[in-house]
């Protein structure tokens, strides 16, 4: 019905010939607006029912929380499927990305999704079959990632990447991009292994299934955009919250892994691809930092204060994400700055990251104040004695 309305509108305008080949852009924007109000309405209903259950049937509250999470995950899958379908049509019609880059990116995303499913299914048989499946899936994912980088390299050297992003190839500082990407990867890995040294749980069916659910929910929420930036980036309806919750529940090692995968999926949603290192900085590296949000989970000073722990973790993670986008803006998109200093321009442009995390933190504080929610969270990754649930 939505497409019929759009088609009628386009055909009724004098400039229909301008828009008839890019209908997906309008459908995507319209659906995003509808989804925003739909998600808000669903949240209000779920919260209202939760309050009612707590008052009338407190013994059923934990079961209801699990149901609400499962229901939200189902809605997330529907949103992701619908929006990604429109996204691919949009890319095809507008020619934003050549097949050389688009299809390896799609292939990598498919390999990752199928790998998660395969690992989950194999976990029902034996530990040996799970281990073999995990090794095979990781190998395939790494191979797909390498193929994507090769294609990105060819795309960049051909000059098409610069032309399609409206910049000159001479303005792209490849050395600066590689150094910044390498530096941030080292910082993230060092923090991950230092802060996650007490993480107990290994990858198993539960951690993998939770990762899939949280990635899907974050990806779905990322389409609920409050406003978008002209050269990539947006402020969303707390889209990073599921990833932050996952990091807090299962530790920073698994959180960084989930954030890395989420970043690759983001490249499908908002594909500004100009250089292999820029791809790293703006997507997998930038969002892998969100996996550090649970860094204060097992700090004694924050026992009994999960709201403060997740808020501070989110702030630190967002500073690193901001740095990743900042370096990309300076060394890959400096031409967008015009007469301004590219550092000043990138600092101002990428400040939307802090608006985005501020919304997430407000919602996170409310969520982490729930006694029932914390009862579920505290089952996982507890090196220190369990925190007293907060009301």
């Amino acid at each position: 019905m939505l497409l019929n309305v759009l088609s009628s509108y386009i055909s009724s305008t004098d400039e229909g010939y301008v828009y008839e080949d890019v209908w997906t852009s309008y459908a995507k924007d319209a659906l995003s607006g509808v989804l925003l109000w739909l998600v808000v309405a669903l949240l209000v209903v779920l919260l209202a029912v939760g309050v009612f259950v707590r008052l009338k049937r407190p013994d059923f509250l934990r079961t209801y929380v699990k149901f609400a999470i499962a229901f939200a995950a189902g809605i997330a899958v529907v949103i992701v499927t619908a929006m990604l379908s429109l996204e691919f049509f949009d890319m095809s019609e507008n020619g934003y990305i050549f097949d050389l880059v688009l299809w390896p990116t799609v292939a990598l995303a498919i390999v990752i999704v199928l790998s998660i499913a395969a690992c989950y299914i194999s976990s029902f048989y034996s530990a040996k079959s799970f281990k073999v499946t995990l090794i095979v899936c990781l190998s395939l994912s790494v191979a797909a990632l390498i193929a994507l980088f090769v294609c990105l390299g060819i795309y960049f050297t051909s000059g098409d990447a610069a032309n399609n992003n409206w910049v000159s190839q001479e303005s792209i500082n490849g050395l600066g991009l590689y150094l910044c990407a390498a530096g941030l990867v080292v910082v993230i890995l060092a923090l991950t292994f230092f802060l996650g040294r007490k993480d107990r749980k290994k990858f198993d069916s539960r951690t993998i299934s939770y990762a899939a659910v949280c990635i899907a929910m974050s990806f779905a929420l990322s389409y609920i955009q409050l406003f978008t930036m002209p050269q990539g980036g947006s402020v969303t309806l707390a889209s990073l919250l599921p990833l932050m919750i996952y990091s807090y529940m299962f530790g920073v090692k698994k959180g960084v892994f989930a954030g890395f995968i989420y970043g690759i999926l983001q490249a499908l949603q908002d594909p500004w691809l100009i250089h292999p290192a820029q791809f790293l900085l703006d997507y997998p590296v930038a969002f892998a930092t969100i996996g550090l949000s649970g860094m204060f989970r097992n700090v004694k000073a924050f026992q009994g204060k999960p709201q403060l722990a997740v808020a501070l973790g989110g702030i630190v993670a967002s500073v690193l994400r901001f740095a990743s986008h900042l370096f990309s803006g300076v060394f890959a998109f400096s031409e967008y700055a015009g007469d301004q200093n590219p550092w000043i321009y990138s600092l101002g442009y990428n400040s939307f990251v802090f608006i985005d995390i501020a919304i997430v933190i407000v919602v996170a504080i409310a969520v982490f104040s729930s006694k029932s929610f914390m009862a579920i969270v505290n089952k996982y990754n507890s090196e220190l004695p369990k925190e007293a649930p907060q009301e």
Side-chain angles (χ1 to χ4, degrees), residues 173-356:
N173 187 332
L175 178 60
L177 288 170
Y178 281 123
L179 289 176
C180 290
L184 275 176
V185 168
V186 170
V187 170
I188 292 170
L189 289 177
L191 288 172
T192 299
F193 286 100
F194 175 75
L195 297 169
R197 66 191 185 281
K198 294 182 179 180
D199 293 351
R200 287 180 172 180
K201 294 185 71 65
K202 298 180 180 180
F203 274 104
D204 55 20
S205 60
R206 178 167 291 179
T207 57
I208 288 174
S209 60
Y210 270 75
V213 168
C214 290
I215 291 170
M217 292 178 69
S218 280
F219 195 49
L221 285 172
S222 71
Y223 280 106
I224 315 301
Q225 299 170 351
L226 304 182
F227 67 84
T228 58
M229 303 297 288
Q231 283 89 41
S234 61
V235 173
T236 63
L237 188 64
S239 63
L240 298 178
L241 180 59
L243 288 176
M244 292 171 63
I245 292 173
Y246 182 78
S247 174
Y248 192 91
M249 289 176 66
F250 293 100
V252 295
K253 289 181 180 178
K254 298 174 187 65
V256 167
F257 178 74
F260 185 87
I261 294 175
Y262 173 78
I264 293 174
L265 294 178
Q266 277 292 302
L268 296 177
Q269 183 194 91
D270 193 21
W272 289 78
L273 304 179
I274 197 171
H275 189 278
Q278 173 268 324
F279 164 77
L280 280 175
L281 287 170
D282 276 333
Y283 298 105
V285 170
F287 291 101
T289 62
I290 303 303
L292 296 170
S293 300
M295 65 176 65
F296 297 117
R297 161 67 191 268
N298 290 325
V299 176
K300 291 182 179 180
F302 296 111
Q303 278 191 277
K305 303 174 183 176
Q307 305 94 331
L308 184 58
V310 74
L312 290 178
I315 291 172
V316 173
S318 287
V319 168
L320 290 173
R321 178 193 170 192
F322 174 77
S324 192
H325 291 314
L326 171 69
F327 294 142
S328 172
V330 170
F331 296 113
F333 298 103
S334 61
E335 201 161 324
Y336 290 164
D339 296 331
Q340 299 180 59
N341 182 297
W343 286 95
I344 300 299
Y345 174 80
S346 191
L347 280 168
Y349 183 92
N350 290 297
S351 60
F352 74 89
V353 167
F354 298 115
I355 302 175
D356 196 41

Side-chain angles (χ1 to χ4, degrees), residues 33-110:
V34 171
L35 291 175
L36 171 60
W37 293 109
L38 175 63
V39 169
V40 171
L42 287 174
L43 286 175
V44 171
V45 171
L46 289 174
L47 288 173
V49 174
V51 171
F52 177 82
V53 170
R54 181 179 178 182
L55 293 175
K56 300 296 183 179
R57 290 287 305 275
D59 57 311
F60 188 67
L61 186 57
R62 188 174 299 183
T63 302
Y64 173 74
V65 170
K66 292 180 179 179
F67 164 78
I69 293 173
F71 178 76
I75 295 297
V77 171
V78 173
I79 292 175
V80 168
T81 302
M83 294 303 293
L84 270 184
S85 298
L86 287 175
E87 198 73 51
F88 291 145
F89 280 120
D90 194 26
M91 291 178 188
S92 176
E93 290 182 347
N94 291 282
Y96 289 148
I97 301 181
F98 288 170
D99 291 345
L100 181 65
V101 180
L102 173 61
W103 294 118
T105 308
V106 175
L108 177 58
I110 292 174

